[in-house]
Amino acid sequence: MTATATRVLVLNSGSSSVKYQLIDMNDGTRLAVGLVERIGEQTSRLAHTPLAAGGDKRETEGAIADHDAALKAVAAELAADGLGLDSPQLAAIGHRVVHGGLKFTEPTVIDDAVLKEIERLVPVAPLHNPANITGIRTAQAMRPDLPQVAVFDTAFHATMPEYAARYAIDVETADAHRIRRYGFHGTSHAYVSRKTAALLGKDPSEVNVIVLHLGNGASASAVAGGRCVDTSMGLTPLEGLVMGTRSGDIDPAVTFHLKRVAGMSTDEIDVLLNKKSGLIGLCGDNDMREIRRRIDEGDERARLAFDIYIHRLKKYIGAYSAVLGRVDAVAFTAGVGENAAPVREAAVAGLEEMGMAVDASLNAVRSDEPRLISPEYARVAVAVVPTDEELEIAQQTYALVNA
Ligand code: ADP
């Protein structure tokens, strides 16, 4: 890396998609952002926005066979703007890796041993780690000389005490199969809890925050003095809050029941709970905008789905208030948390005795900036804090390669 190398390419490789951002670390400026979708299908789509060049979004459709072809297409788009992967200004590539197990609790420069260990974690993250590994291998092949850094979704939760991380099942069985609460969305929980402290004018070490990351996937965390002490997702991202397509918390006996009584296979149950449950299972829609629209039209199923979603959120706010003892702030983030004022209002409604309230006019404000939505009298700050996982990955990557 040269002294002029101040750019980081962030790659988030999913099973059929790659999201990317090229960020200048001098000031966090986005030079280019984009997304390749439906990799492996005839109808793949690449959408690239050259922000540095002030250009419009360029979209190309047509078959992109695999991640290798996808990254090559991304590299070509970047090169067309003079931002190619061969640029000496590129300092590193930062990869989002979903599962870091117990081993990876910090961002890590990827070498063969690290890659092997990420592969060893595939059994606990079968839906996510394989795609992350493919993305890493492809990027390595394109720039073998460049540091590639893995930033793990699980890492921020590594500080959870053992009594929060361990499930109450037979210890030998759990340990033999690495079964425990790992938690996910850690990059977002880290970023948002820190930003929330800044919004309060405090150091992260001084504040206790409940972070509610409500996207299509959703998770809550309890962060005490900058350290995660509990989180709602578990061995996999299935546990916890009601999500767009995932059930969240459910009696594990439901799975035996579905097997024994309904005759479903393990894979079918997996699909049911991960893809056909949550909001979509309850009302047929997983987009909160659509659900609110249906509620406004008097749709009962949409109303019930919303109420179940909110009830679960409230349970976690209550549980994490007890875990933290003192709560300084509740922070809403991600697609639903940042945009759905009715969700924020309903989640906090009735919690005045706990010092939590939402001011209707502040809650109605739309903005990309972190902001308070609680009235002045409230003991607990309620905040909307837009997440920025890409910037967090870029910052962690850049800090590591410059360390
Ligand atoms: P993920 O990264 O998990 O795919 P996001 O954090 O982008 O998800 O959140 C996507 C979700 O955010 C959508 O499914 C939708 O429910 C919700 N959402 C996005 N914009 C709005 C909006 N303006 N109002 C309400 N909900 C919204």
Side-chain angles (χ1 to χ4, degrees), residues 12 19 96 185 213-218 244 246 279 286-292 309 333-343 366 387 389:
N12 180 354
K19 289 187 207 148
R96 174 186 182 216
H185 292 142
H213 176 110
L214 312 177
N216 200 22
R246 298 189 192 117
L279 294 170
N286 62 336
D287 191 310
M288 194 52 80
R289 284 163 287 203
E290 188 57 20
I291 291 170
R292 289 305 310 176
Y309 183 95
T333 195
V336 175
E338 291 167 29
N339 295 298
V343 168
R366 297 194 65 85
T387 193
E389 290 164 281

Side-chain angles (χ1 to χ4, degrees), residues 17 23 52 136 148 157 159 164 172 186 225 232 242 312 318-319 379 396:
S17 69
I23 304 179
I136 292 168
Q148 314 254 343
H157 305 302
T159 51
E172 278 77 34
S232 60
V242 175
R312 186 81 51 86
R379 191 158 35 82
Q396 293 193 15

Side-chain angles (χ1 to χ4, degrees), residues 49 63 95 137 149 210 213 216 261 279 304 324 366 387-388:
T49 309
H95 296 268
R137 284 198 194 289
V149 173
I210 297 173
H213 176 110
N216 200 22
V261 179
L279 294 170
L304 181 59
L324 289 170
R366 297 194 65 85
T387 193
D388 196 338

Side-chain angles (χ1 to χ4, degrees), residues 8-334:
V8 173
L9 178 66
V10 176
L11 288 182
N12 180 354
S13 307
S15 56
S16 65
S17 69
V18 176
K19 289 187 207 148
Y20 62 94
Q21 292 198 359
L22 182 66
I23 304 179
D24 188 333
M25 301 316 295
N26 284 319
D27 53 6
T29 308
R30 265 41 173 207
L31 302 172
V33 302
L35 162 72
V36 190
E37 292 175 296
R38 298 193 291 273
I39 296 171
E41 293 178 36
Q42 288 305 313
T43 56
S44 314
R45 188 177 77 102
L46 194 167
H48 175 86
T49 309
L51 296 167
D56 291 333
K57 192 195 268 190
R58 299 197 291 265
E59 297 196 44
T60 26
E61 295 224 9
I64 295 178
D66 50 26
H67 281 74
D68 187 47
L71 263 197
K72 286 199 172 115
V74 170
E77 290 290 348
L78 290 168
D81 304 318
L83 300 169
L85 291 192
D86 53 356
S87 162
Q89 282 164 289
L90 190 59
I93 299 181
H95 296 268
R96 174 186 182 216
V97 178
V98 169
H99 216 307
L102 283 179
K103 186 127 184 164
F104 299 116
T105 59
E106 301 282 343
T108 305
V109 175
I110 302 167
D111 58 18
D112 287 350
V114 168
L115 204 50
K116 271 215 180 73
E117 189 59 31
I118 297 173
E119 270 168 352
R120 233 172 57 79
L121 289 163
V122 166
V124 286
L127 300 178
H128 298 96
N129 275 29
N132 302 155
I133 292 164
T134 308
I136 292 168
R137 284 198 194 289
T138 311
Q140 279 180 329
M142 293 180 86
R143 277 298 304 268
D145 56 312
L146 200 66
Q148 314 254 343
V149 173
V151 178
F152 299 92
D153 259 27
T154 46
F156 181 62
H157 305 302
T159 51
M160 270 186 294
E162 185 69 6
Y163 54 75
R166 187 171 278 284
Y167 291 115
I169 63 170
D170 170 65
V171 171
E172 278 77 34
T173 307
D175 290 351
H177 300 285
R178 291 178 284 176
I179 295 167
R180 60 190 281 116
R181 178 180 309 288
Y182 293 98
F184 299 89
H185 292 142
T187 310
S188 177
H189 287 285
Y191 179 86
V192 170
S193 56
R194 236 181 28 241
K195 280 271 169 185
T196 305
L199 182 65
L200 301 183
K202 300 246 167 88
D203 189 80
S205 64
E206 299 173 298
V207 294
N208 291 347
V209 186
I210 297 173
V211 178
L212 303 170
H213 176 110
L214 312 177
N216 200 22
S219 64
S221 69
V223 182
R227 292 163 67 83
C228 177
V229 294
D230 205 353
T231 193
S232 60
M233 283 179 166
L235 171 74
T236 77
L238 181 56
E239 196 179 347
L241 300 173
V242 175
M243 311 184 207
T245 67
R246 298 189 192 117
S247 63
D249 294 337
I250 191 168
D251 182 344
V254 169
T255 57
F256 324 142
H257 189 82
L258 288 170
K259 229 172 165 159
R260 292 182 187 133
V261 179
M264 290 175 74
S265 70
T266 306
D267 285 349
E268 284 169 339
I269 298 169
D270 193 332
V271 170
L272 175 77
L273 297 181
N274 273 297
K275 302 250 165 79
K276 298 184 179 171
S277 296
L279 294 170
I280 208 158
L282 288 166
C283 74
D285 271 308
N286 62 336
D287 191 310
M288 194 52 80
R289 284 163 287 203
E290 188 57 20
I291 291 170
R292 289 305 310 176
R293 195 192 57 73
R294 284 172 56 187
I295 291 172
D296 289 344
E297 286 178 351
D299 186 316
E300 289 299 326
R301 271 184 74 190
R303 176 85 246 169
L304 181 59
F306 184 82
D307 290 346
I308 294 169
Y309 183 95
I310 296 297
H311 182 66
R312 186 81 51 86
L313 257 180
K314 266 198 176 36
K315 285 211 237 184
Y316 272 91
I317 294 173
Y320 288 173
S321 296
V323 164
L324 289 170
R326 185 199 81 229
V327 183
D328 298 299
V330 176
F332 286 88
T333 195

